[in-house]
């Protein structure tokens, strides 16, 4: 069994619990967590035991269903009050990826629309909605992969940042979906992975999952990306996203925007890949995105045998940055590839989703 045979997040329906492949232990240990308590689920999201925008949305949806099961409410208003509290608590685990609130609100709306049902029936409907979010994610990622594959061909070299692979989703990933899908079709690629300081998602997760898929994988430190581009080694940059604004500004793991600047300078196409659930049409630009700030210890101590910075040094540790839309060659979604100007192309995608074509009679 290799890492790609494990699910990053799933629901055990028999002994209702959330199963999470603990990403903080990879690549050294494969450890599955069985969680039922909302505080443990919140902690798992905050500490990145489950991580990546789509995966945290799925985990939170299962978490909200499990909390709903354990609410001891006698009537609909008190059930909804408990559900709202659980939703808001889970939503507070991480602020940047829109998929978290998107998935939680999707479940909450199901309960809002079920006033005429019994509480056990509402709980069952929440379970089905959470399972649907997960299976839709697999389908969305596969379609992102198909669209992304039209941008590349056998033998190309891709540079990626952080982990937007299967571990961050239900299957295939987003930025890595074209690679995994291409592998299924017998294609070969080379991928350079940024190690992704400070939490090393590129080194620990992306390199691990790509090697498990037989991809020719090369690990570099984040500050080496300019050099490999200058040496002409990179055909395209593929990255994921945590929240995309209506104008195409794309928020992703810290370090992504400097990669985009480098790619522009060296003439390397820069693509953002993500599902429409990551596009937040309610915000006009990336300036409205809340950037998560994390603990100083992630920079000064984590991973080192001893502290590697003077005591009391000031530390700034933003977990994400926003890449300006001018630097992005295309945004690959499950509904196709949006091209500049994004204000028009993203709106066009959402108009198509809202107005599905009428089936012919
Ligand atoms: O802090 P993380 O590891 O959750 O950050 C993840 C990323 O930035 C990913 O690129 C993004 O969520 C897309 S995952 C398909």
């Amino acid at each position: 069994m290799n890492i790609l045979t494990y699910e990053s997040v799933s629901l055990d329906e028999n002994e209702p619990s959330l199963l999470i492949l603990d990403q903080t232990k990879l690549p050294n240990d494969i450890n599955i967590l069985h969680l039922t308590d909302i505080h443990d689920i919140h902690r798992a999201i905050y500490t990145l035991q489950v991580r990546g925008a789509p995966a945290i949305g799925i985990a939170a949806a299962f978490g909200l269903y499990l909390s709903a099961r354990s609410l001891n409410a006698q009537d609909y208003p008190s059930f909804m009050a408990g559900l709202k509290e659980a939703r808001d608590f889970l939503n507070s685990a991480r602020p940047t990826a829109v998929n978290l609130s998107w998935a939680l609100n999707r479940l909450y709306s199901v309960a809002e629309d079920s006033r005429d049902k019994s509480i056990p029936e509402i709980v069952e409907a929440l379970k089905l909605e959470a399972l649907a979010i997960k299976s839709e994610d697999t389908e969305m990622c596969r379609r992102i992969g198909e669209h992304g594959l039209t941008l590349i061909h056998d033998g190309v070299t891709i540079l990626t940042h952080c982990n937007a692979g299967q571990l961050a989703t239900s299957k295939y990933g987003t930025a890595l979906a074209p690679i995994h899908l291409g592998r299924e079709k017998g294609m070969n690629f080379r991928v350079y992975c940024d190690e992704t300081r400070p939490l090393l998602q590129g080194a620990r997760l992306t390199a691990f999952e790509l090697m498990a898929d037989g991809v020719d994988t090369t690990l570099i430190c984040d500050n080496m990306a300019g050099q490999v581009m200058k040496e002409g080694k990179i055909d395209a940059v593929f990255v994921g996203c945590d929240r995309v604004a209506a104008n195409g500004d794309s928020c992703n793991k810290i370090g992504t925007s400097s990669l985009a600047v480098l790619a522009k300078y060296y003439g390397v196409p820069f693509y953002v890949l993500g599902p429409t659930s990551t596009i937040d049409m309610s915000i006009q630009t990336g300036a409205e995105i809340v950037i998560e700030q994390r603990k100083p210890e992630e920079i000064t101590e984590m991973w080192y045998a001893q502290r590697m910075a003077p005591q009391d040094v000031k530390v700034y540790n933003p977990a994400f940055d926003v890449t300006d839309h001018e630097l992005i060659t295309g945004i690959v979604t499950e509904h196709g590839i949006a091209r500049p100007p994004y204000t028009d192309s993203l709106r066009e995608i959402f108009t198509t989703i809202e107005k599905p074509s009428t089936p012919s009679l």
Side-chain angles (χ1 to χ4, degrees):
M1 278 187 55
N2 77 32
I3 191 63
L4 293 170
T5 59
Y6 290 87
E7 292 199 278
S8 53
V9 53
S10 59
L11 180 70
D12 180 343
E13 292 187 55
N14 298 323
E15 246 170 81
S17 56
L18 169 63
L19 305 188
I20 283 175
L21 170 61
D22 184 350
Q23 298 194 37
T24 62
K25 298 279 187 287
L26 296 176
N28 299 319
D29 293 311
I30 293 179
N31 185 29
I32 310 288
L33 304 169
H34 296 241
L35 308 177
T36 49
D37 181 75
I38 189 169
H39 296 95
D40 293 338
I41 296 170
H42 185 281
R43 191 175 314 111
I45 296 172
Y46 175 71
T47 59
L48 276 60
Q49 286 176 313
V50 57
R51 50 147 297 282
I56 62 178
I58 298 165
F62 287 143
L64 191 59
Y65 153 66
L66 292 168
S67 319
R69 276 188 91 243
S70 62
L71 286 175
N72 195 11
Q74 304 304 318
D75 54 35
Y76 181 77
S78 49
F79 176 80
M80 288 306 284
L83 193 69
K84 182 172 184 305
E85 199 178 319
R87 178 197 67 177
D88 294 347
F89 178 61
L90 287 170
N91 194 38
S92 69
R94 298 192 74 188
T96 303
V98 69
N99 307 60
L100 183 60
S101 57
W102 171 84
L104 289 167
N105 286 332
R106 214 173 122 167
L107 258 69
Y108 191 76
S109 305
V110 166
E112 278 183 321
D113 294 343
S114 306
R115 175 176 281 278
D116 54 332
K117 295 198 175 105
S118 68
I119 290 174
E121 284 172 334
I122 302 176
V123 170
E124 182 64 15
L126 293 178
K127 179 177 91 174
L128 295 179
E129 191 69 12
L131 288 168
I133 288 175
K134 184 178 172 208
S135 60
E136 286 167 23
D137 184 67
T138 303
E139 181 54 18
M140 285 191 294
C141 289
R142 201 184 53 73
R143 283 162 59 187
I144 290 169
E146 278 166 3
H147 291 298
L149 256 185
T150 65
L151 301 169
I152 55 178
H153 55 80
D154 203 32
V156 299
T157 303
I158 301 293
L159 172 65
T160 192
H161 189 68
C162 193
N163 173 266
Q166 171 155 318
L167 289 165
T169 63
S170 57
K171 196 168 163 62
Y172 295 117
T174 57
L176 301 189
I179 310 288
H180 287 309
L181 215 65
R183 291 293 297 150
E184 283 183 4
K185 297 176 196 290
M187 296 166 80
N188 291 304
F189 306 107
R190 270 185 299 275
V191 178
Y192 279 76
C193 311
D194 282 350
E195 67 173 348
T196 317
R197 283 281 294 158
L199 295 182
L200 306 185
Q201 290 94 331
R204 296 186 302 106
L205 309 175
T206 300
F208 191 42
E209 81 166 69
L210 288 175
M211 290 173 75
D213 203 12
V215 176
D216 179 341
T217 305
T218 304
L219 180 64
I220 56 172
C221 298
D222 301 336
N223 53 4
M224 298 169 187
Q227 182 61 20
V228 291
M229 286 188 207
K230 186 174 185 158
E231 289 171 14
K233 289 188 159 73
I234 307 299
D235 295 307
V237 178
F238 279 10
V239 294
C241 47
D242 288 82
R243 196 181 290 248
V244 176
N247 72 343
D249 288 351
S250 297
C251 183
N252 190 48
K253 179 54 52 192
I254 190 74
T256 304
S257 79
S258 36
L259 261 193
V261 174
L262 287 170
K264 183 86 165 180
Y265 184 77
Y266 290 112
V268 176
F270 182 94
Y271 290 98
V272 171
L273 297 90
T276 45
S277 53
T278 310
I279 301 174
D280 185 351
M281 295 298 277
S282 75
I283 57 169
Q284 299 315 305
T285 76
E288 293 173 66
I289 298 173
V290 176
I291 302 289
E292 177 181 8
Q293 301 293 326
R294 294 189 62 91
K295 291 182 183 158
E297 295 76 26
E298 290 180 351
I299 294 180
T300 55
E301 291 168 33
M302 213 167 167
W303 318 115
Y304 296 127
Q306 59 182 34
R307 188 181 165 91
M308 278 294 151
Q311 290 294 341
D312 300 328
V313 68
K314 285 195 285 181
V315 172
Y316 180 51
N317 186 13
F320 299 95
D321 59 26
V322 175
T323 299
D324 296 334
H325 60 275
E326 291 96 342
L327 300 172
I328 300 172
T329 313
I331 300 178
V332 183
T333 75
E334 75 276 21
H335 293 287
I337 304 174
R339 301 277 184 180
Y342 295 109
T343 312
D344 296 340
S345 55
L346 293 178
R347 194 189 318 112
E348 173 76 27
I349 284 177
F350 277 88
T351 312
T352 318
I353 303 172
E354 276 150 28
K355 280 193 218 146
S357 58
T358 318
S360 52
L361 295 172

